[in-house]
């Protein structure tokens, strides 16, 4: 019986996946595999199913499901029924034995039609999937691999997978430092490190020195003080990653930034709080850029934040870092950052 790999873009709401599976069940199609991926426009549900020789009627039925939008279907082979983690581990083993086979491994990883080396620099926009079935994967400073798959455009999740596979074969870097240094345009230097349990009082003072407007922009509502329970969540590595920035030679924090894990696989929420006397100097942008680099190292495909539509500084930061902005109900705006793009400046250097 023919096998088909079918992708459906759906609204990220409870019950949408169940609606698609009901359509497939009504068509008496057997679901052999299912994954959820992140894309710049939302969530992509992918199904590996047994199906008819002509998938047209099935695709028409799926289009009638609530919130189902773009749908693509390509023929699959029995070889694709292999356990996916096992397949990736075998590709990684093959790459370790033959690093020169990187283009072919990336092609097989993402089931692309072809892969080829591309020399020369590429713009940040070129590093994103272009919606036409091409993906440019950075390999070092001036080389890339171009993957083509016209029938099924690449997702942000797949871009992150390709990036992780590339970094598996690049020369090993030193153990990442938990302390980083930032240098602002005005010459001010700051050290940045992960938040720990000893920072509670200092972070409470940071909140006290921020205006109500700054705290409202950070939390989306009135928050008078940082409670121990909130702080405990910031320090929990199971909930996310938090960084505190201190001016060189000072003991009081100037800013704090967070990556807060969400219930969507491969994503996290970005949040920043910058002391009022440090605002307008580029600290928020530098801290956000560092958090995006860390997100990439942790295998996250997309970072997002929701802010008031009138929060000019945050929207400016988002545009500067190449985020996609989407208006939301209630005078809000969502900014979505891809971790696989070049965020315009060199990576912050660790101590």
């Amino acid at each position: 019986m023919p096998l088909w790999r079918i992708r459906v873009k759906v609204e990220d709401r409870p019950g949408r996946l169940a609606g698609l599976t009901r359509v497939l069940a009504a068509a008496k199609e057997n679901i052999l595999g299912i994954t959820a991926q992140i894309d710049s426009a939302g969530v992509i549900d992918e199904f590996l199913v047994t199906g008819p020789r002509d998938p047209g009627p099935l695709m028409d039925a799926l289009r009638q499901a609530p919130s189902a939008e773009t749908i693509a279907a390509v023929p699959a082979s029995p070889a694709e029924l292999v356990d996916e983690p096992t397949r990736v581990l075998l590709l990684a083993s093959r790459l370790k034995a033959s690093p020169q086979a990187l283009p072919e491994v990336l092609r097989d990883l993402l089931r692309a039609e072809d892969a080829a080396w591309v020399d020369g620099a590429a713009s940040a926009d070129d590093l994103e999937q272009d919606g036409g079935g091409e993906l440019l994967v950075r390999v070092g400073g001036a080389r890339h691999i171009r993957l083509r798959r016209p029938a099924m455009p690449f997702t942000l999740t797949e871009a992150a997978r390709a990036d992780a596979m590339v970094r598996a074969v690049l020369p090993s870097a030193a153990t990442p430092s938990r302390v980083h240094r930032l240098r602002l345009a005005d010459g001010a230097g700051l050290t940045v490190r992960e938040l720990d349990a000893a920072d509670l009082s200092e972070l409470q003072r940071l909140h006290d020195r921020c205006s109500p407007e700054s705290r409202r922009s950070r939390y989306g509502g009135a928050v008078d003080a940082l409670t121990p329970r909130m702080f405990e969540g910031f320090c929990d590595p199971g909930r996310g990653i938090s960084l505190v920035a201190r001016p060189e030679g000072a003991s009081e924090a100037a800013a704090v930034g967070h990556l807060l894990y969400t219930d969507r696989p491969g994503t996290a929420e970005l949040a920043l709080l910058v002391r009022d006397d440090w605002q307008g100097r580029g600290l928020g942008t530098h801290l956000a850029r560092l958090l995006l680099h860390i997100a990439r190292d942790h295998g996250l495909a997309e970072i997002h934040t929701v802010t008031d539509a009138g929060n000019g500084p945050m929207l400016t930061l988002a545009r500067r870092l190449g985020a996609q902005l989407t208006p939301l109900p209630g005078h809000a705006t969502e900014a979505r950052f891809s971790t696989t793009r070049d965020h315009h400046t060199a990576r912050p250097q660790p101590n």
Side-chain angles (χ1 to χ4, degrees):
M1 183 171 290
L3 294 175
W4 293 94
R5 187 171 294 277
I6 299 175
R7 285 188 176 180
V8 186
K9 185 176 75 175
V10 295
E11 186 180 3
D12 188 18
R13 292 180 55 190
R16 297 312 188 215
L17 176 59
L20 298 176
T21 59
R22 283 194 293 268
V23 171
L24 293 169
K28 301 187 183 304
E29 307 299 348
N30 188 22
I31 301 174
L32 302 177
I34 181 171
T35 61
Q37 301 186 29
I38 303 300
D39 192 35
S40 58
V43 175
I44 303 293
D45 288 332
E46 179 179 281
F47 302 91
L48 185 63
V49 302
T50 59
R53 295 190 180 279
D54 177 12
L58 178 59
M59 294 175 69
D60 290 339
L62 286 169
R63 289 190 182 95
Q64 304 307 312
S67 299
E69 297 181 28
T70 305
I71 298 178
V74 296
S77 70
E80 296 181 37
L81 295 175
V82 67
D83 175 64
E84 190 65 13
T86 300
R87 186 179 77 90
V88 174
L89 288 171
L90 290 172
L91 286 172
S93 177
R94 171 181 161 195
L95 188 59
K96 182 178 180 180
S98 303
Q100 70 276 10
L102 180 58
E104 292 76 17
V105 168
L106 292 181
R107 179 198 64 202
D108 293 347
L109 174 69
L110 301 186
R111 298 186 174 92
E113 290 188 10
D114 58 63
W117 284 104
V118 178
D119 291 322
S123 70
D125 290 336
D126 288 337
L127 297 176
E128 301 296 310
Q129 76 270 19
D130 64 4
E134 289 194 355
L135 178 68
L136 203 60
V137 182
R138 184 189 300 279
V139 184
R143 299 193 78 194
H144 305 81
I145 293 174
R146 186 182 298 278
L147 301 172
R148 292 183 64 257
R149 193 180 61 194
M152 191 169 282
F154 296 99
T155 65
L156 290 177
T157 297
E158 289 179 308
R161 291 172 180 170
D163 181 69
M165 186 66 80
V166 167
R167 288 185 287 128
V169 75
L170 291 177
S172 299
T175 302
S177 173
R178 296 180 70 245
V179 180
H180 298 263
R181 299 186 63 188
L182 300 180
R183 184 68 60 184
L184 307 187
D186 61 9
L190 299 98
T191 58
V192 182
R193 66 164 175 80
E194 291 185 26
L195 202 64
D196 62 38
D199 298 323
L200 172 59
S201 296
E202 182 183 351
L203 220 63
Q204 287 176 326
R205 292 192 295 272
L206 168 64
H207 274 68
D208 293 341
R209 296 181 66 178
C210 289
S211 65
E213 291 76 15
S214 294
R215 294 196 297 268
R216 188 177 299 110
S217 294
R218 159 61 181 91
Y219 293 103
V223 175
D224 294 330
L226 176 70
T227 67
R229 183 174 181 178
M230 292 166 60
F231 180 80
E232 181 181 346
F234 294 156
C235 293
D236 184 354
R239 300 184 186 180
I241 301 164
S242 295
L243 303 179
V244 59
R246 297 183 180 86
E248 291 179 344
S251 59
E252 291 295 312
V256 62
H258 311 279
L259 289 175
L260 305 173
Y261 300 141
T262 73
D263 56 3
R264 296 171 59 194
T267 69
E269 179 182 356
L270 171 70
L272 301 169
L273 180 63
V274 180
R275 216 169 68 195
D276 288 56
D277 56 326
W278 278 87
Q279 293 178 16
R281 301 172 64 178
L283 175 55
T285 300
H286 278 72
L287 189 55
R289 184 180 290 117
L290 175 57
L291 285 165
L292 290 173
H293 282 299
I294 291 173
R296 174 184 174 186
D297 288 342
H298 281 71
L300 297 172
E302 184 184 74
I303 306 302
H304 77 100
T305 187
V306 176
T307 188
D308 187 89
N311 187 351
M314 190 63 186
L315 296 179
T316 299
L317 179 154
R319 293 188 185 97
R320 187 174 294 144
L321 297 181
Q324 176 182 344
L325 302 182
T326 304
L328 298 177
H331 199 61
T333 298
E334 181 184 42
R336 303 173 68 176
F337 307 82
S338 167
T339 63
T340 58
R341 71 179 297 146
D342 181 1
H343 296 287
H344 307 305
T345 65
R347 182 186 183 121
Q349 294 299 310
N351 277 346

